[in-house]
Amino acid sequence: MRVPLIAGNWKMFKTKAEAKAFAEEFKELYKDTDIQAAICAPFTDLELLVEEFKGTGIMVGAQNVHFADEGAYTGEISVSMLEEIGVDLCVIGHSERRQYFAETDETCNLKLKKLFEGSIRPILCVGESLEQRDAGQAEAIVKGQIEADLEGIAADDIRKLIVAYEPIWAIGTGRTATPEQAEEMCAVIRECITALYDESVADDVIIQYGGSVKPANATEIMNQPEIDGALVGGASLKAADFIEIVNF
Ligand code: 13P
């Protein structure tokens, strides 16, 4: 059974002081909620958030990790460093990392494999650009990403996978995919995982939609049968907005 997961992706927002203020407000608002929620935050906020959210059920995620155990990789963070802090989740392959930081399907694949050696669950982001959608390539692009990113990963690990379908044209633009467009592509992702593994494995994978999710559109997106959650950027920065999405 899939449990819906609403995750915030703070991107490069919030100092520790700002993260603390958010956490204090959000955990109060979250008290009567039974929907699973998470915040994926900058590295510098993670330890504080784990401490703040202890006992609340709110999960904490990183936004990136390196695929090596350790080594001369200036500026990078390893899986064991995240595990030591008590992080639950890690975003992999966000389009901003693919676009600005040379993340490729190959590095996503290595990072997923490294995470699956431990206990941190990945949120793998996939999605097409506007040019690709207009050229009728959305499905082929997303399928290609899923196939390459999951190559060589065992079925039992895939059951713990979270996928976020994030069309690049809907990120930070205010232009949300229609619930039908989001549903259609989340179904494509589940069919692709069924073809690579089997239906029982694909049934366990949480598939989120991300891209301009707001309190005003969360319900219609979450009502789609193939959509099990949301990855929320801008609207996760204010506790009052984020709780409305969590309580869709
Ligand atoms: P916005 O919700 O700001 O469009 O960002 C979406 C996103 O990239 C989440 O990872």
Side-chain angles (χ1 to χ4, degrees):
M1 248 320 266
R2 302 192 295 270
V3 183
L5 169 63
I6 311 290
N9 174 14
W10 280 355
K11 309 191 179 186
M12 199 175 74
F13 289 97
K14 292 202 191 290
T15 62
K16 268 175 78 174
E18 290 163 344
K20 189 170 171 36
F22 175 99
E24 282 170 359
E25 188 183 348
F26 185 67
K27 65 186 176 189
E28 277 306 308
L29 297 170
Y30 185 77
K31 266 182 179 153
D32 302 320
T33 304
D34 53 5
I35 303 291
Q36 185 71 71
I39 293 290
C40 301
F43 289 129
T44 46
D45 295 337
L46 294 177
E47 194 162 10
L48 171 129
L49 289 178
V50 168
E51 201 54 44
E52 286 284 335
F53 290 153
K54 209 165 262 176
T56 64
I58 303 162
M59 296 194 287
V60 176
Q63 300 171 3
N64 184 32
V65 72
H66 197 270
F67 51 78
D69 287 327
E70 59 182 2
Y73 300 107
T74 301
E76 292 295 317
I77 300 279
S78 72
V79 170
S80 56
M81 290 169 188
L82 296 180
E83 283 175 340
E84 188 182 43
I85 290 176
V87 165
D88 307 285
L89 305 166
C90 183
V91 176
I92 296 294
H94 192 281
S95 59
E96 287 150 15
R97 295 212 61 84
R98 293 181 192 253
Q99 185 178 352
Y100 306 128
F101 302 101
E103 189 82 86
T104 62
D105 288 323
E106 193 183 355
T107 56
C108 288
N109 178 254
L110 291 170
K111 291 175 180 193
L112 290 174
K113 284 176 175 163
K114 187 51 69 180
L115 284 171
F116 282 131
E117 285 175 18
S119 57
I120 297 173
R121 290 180 72 180
I123 302 179
L124 171 67
C125 300
V126 295
E128 81 287 354
S129 67
L130 189 56
E131 266 181 358
Q132 290 163 336
R133 173 158 285 262
D134 288 345
Q137 296 167 344
E139 207 176 304
I141 292 290
V142 167
K143 268 187 177 170
Q145 288 175 327
I146 292 284
E147 285 168 6
D149 295 350
L150 302 188
E151 196 184 306
I153 297 178
D156 278 351
D157 288 333
I158 297 298
R159 290 182 193 279
K160 292 173 273 176
L161 178 69
I162 300 156
V163 178
Y165 168 60
E166 297 209 312
I168 297 168
W169 46 272
I171 295 177
T173 58
R175 182 182 162 183
T176 325
T178 64
E180 294 73 27
Q181 285 172 323
E183 169 71 2
E184 188 185 7
M185 290 301 288
C186 290
V188 164
I189 291 168
R190 205 174 306 283
E191 280 162 23
C192 185
I193 297 172
T194 305
L196 292 172
Y197 297 88
D198 60 36
E199 206 178 315
S200 137
V201 172
D203 273 350
D204 281 352
V205 177
I206 293 175
I207 304 181
Q208 300 175 316
Y209 166 78
S212 299
V213 177
K214 309 252 173 306
N217 60 26
T219 311
E220 54 176 10
I221 289 168
M222 288 303 298
N223 279 345
Q224 303 299 315
E226 291 295 341
I227 302 179
D228 310 315
L231 189 56
V232 185
S236 70
L237 294 170
K238 279 196 189 139
D241 289 344
F242 190 52
I243 195 69
E244 271 197 61
I245 298 174
V246 170
N247 288 329
F248 67 89

